[in-house]
């Protein structure tokens, strides 16, 4: 699994560009709505809070554990979020796609669908993984529907798996797409991206 940690993935709606700390201000502006963080295990109220997440992502990239991206809207030229390939398991050729935080301005648009298409295509066709995993808070029904919509299979629930900063406890629901399913998932994503939003 030969990885390019500085790869840029280009779509028609978004560019996924290598994450670095210089994007912290524009990323914070895109992600400052409390709705973005409602179902995450993080608490992000300030630029400094976000900077700590970015520092961790950059360190994980250096260690080869993650490939984090900034999501750039190609129409507006604005930063609209971030996403990652993580939990990279080279031996078993497994990864997780996640850590996706998007500006509410691009919810229910092509942005997230195209991000998933670009990331999955890179994982299956370039990295040659055999399994891509997604994990979603049991309370985050919107994200569960989004993952199911692209064709991921629900595998199960880790009960009481995450404790948020406010002390609330969430189940964590796991989904996957495996290599033998990629062709059909790819066509599904192409069809979804062809639709008007």
């Amino acid at each position: 699994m030969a990885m390019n940690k500085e790869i840029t993935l280009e779509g028609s709606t978004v560019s996924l560009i290598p994450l670095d700390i210089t994007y912290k201000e524009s990323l914070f502006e895109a992600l400052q709505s409390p709705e973005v963080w409602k179902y995450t295990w993080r608490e992000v109220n300030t630029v400094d809070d976000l900077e700590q997440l970015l520092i961790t992502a950059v360190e994980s990239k250096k260690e080869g554990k993650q490939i984090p991206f900034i999501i750039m809207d190609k129409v507006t030229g604005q930063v609209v979020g971030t996403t990652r390939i993580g939990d990279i398991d080279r031996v078993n050729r497994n990864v997780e796609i996640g850590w996706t935080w998007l500006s509410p301005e691009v919810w229910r648009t092509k942005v997230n669908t195209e991000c998933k298409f670009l990331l999955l295509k890179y994982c299956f066709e370039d990295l040659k993984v055999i399994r891509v995993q997604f994990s979603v808070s049991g309370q985050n029904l919107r994200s569960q529907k989004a993952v199911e919509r692209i064709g991921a299979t629900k595998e199960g629930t880790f009960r009481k798996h995450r404790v948020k900063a406010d002390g609330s406890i969430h189940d964590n629901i796991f989904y996957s797409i495996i290599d033998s399913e990629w062709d059909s998932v790819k066509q599904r994503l192409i069809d979804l991206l062809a639709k008007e939003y």
Side-chain angles (χ1 to χ4, degrees):
M1 209 193 306
M3 283 188 311
N4 177 357
K5 294 183 280 186
E6 298 301 327
I7 193 165
T8 295
L9 303 176
E10 293 286 352
S12 59
T13 305
V14 296
S15 296
L16 302 184
I17 59 179
L19 179 146
D20 67 56
I21 302 298
T22 60
Y23 290 101
K24 70 179 179 181
E25 299 285 347
S26 53
L27 191 58
F28 181 73
E29 183 158 330
L31 303 179
Q32 60 185 322
S33 168
E35 285 299 304
V36 173
W37 306 102
K38 184 174 181 180
Y39 299 112
T40 74
W41 330 124
R42 291 123 185 117
E43 191 166 322
V44 177
N45 298 308
T46 67
V47 174
D48 289 342
D49 292 340
L50 184 62
E51 183 176 26
Q52 289 308 306
L53 289 179
L54 300 184
I55 288 168
T56 300
V58 169
E59 285 302 313
S60 292
K61 178 168 71 170
K62 287 178 186 171
E63 295 167 5
K65 295 177 182 175
Q66 296 184 338
I67 308 173
F69 298 93
I70 291 291
I71 304 166
M72 188 79 69
D73 185 314
K74 292 180 87 163
V75 175
T76 65
Q78 299 292 310
V79 170
V80 293
T82 181
T83 191
R84 299 182 208 174
I85 298 168
D87 289 345
I88 297 168
D89 181 347
R90 287 177 178 79
V91 173
N92 296 302
R93 293 165 47 208
N94 280 226
V95 298
E96 180 168 335
I97 290 175
W99 302 266
T100 304
W101 305 310
L102 294 168
S103 166
E105 290 181 14
V106 298
W107 290 359
R108 290 173 291 281
T109 70
K110 290 185 181 186
V111 167
N112 192 37
T113 305
E114 189 166 60
C115 286
K116 295 300 184 283
F117 174 75
L118 293 170
L119 293 169
L120 285 164
K121 187 174 187 295
Y122 179 66
C123 288
F124 285 116
E125 297 181 12
D126 293 294
L127 297 183
K128 305 294 186 193
V129 304
I130 59 174
R131 179 178 182 276
V132 173
Q133 168 178 294
F134 304 85
S135 61
V136 182
S137 165
Q139 295 179 15
N140 192 344
L141 300 181
R142 184 176 52 81
S143 288
Q144 289 173 46
K145 286 178 185 172
V147 172
E148 289 166 7
R149 180 172 167 263
I150 66 171
T153 298
K154 184 176 178 180
E155 295 183 324
T157 303
F158 283 19
R159 299 178 300 161
K160 293 190 173 184
H161 190 232
R162 299 287 186 195
V163 180
K164 285 187 61 166
D166 67 6
S168 62
I169 299 169
H170 289 225
D171 293 345
N172 208 8
I173 300 176
F174 286 84
Y175 295 85
S176 72
I177 297 168
I178 57 175
D179 57 348
S180 58
E181 298 164 342
W182 170 233
D183 284 344
S184 62
V185 170
K186 181 179 182 177
Q187 189 57 55
R188 185 178 190 143
L189 284 162
I190 289 168
D191 292 344
L192 286 170
L193 288 168
K195 291 181 181 176
E196 292 294 327
Y197 273 68

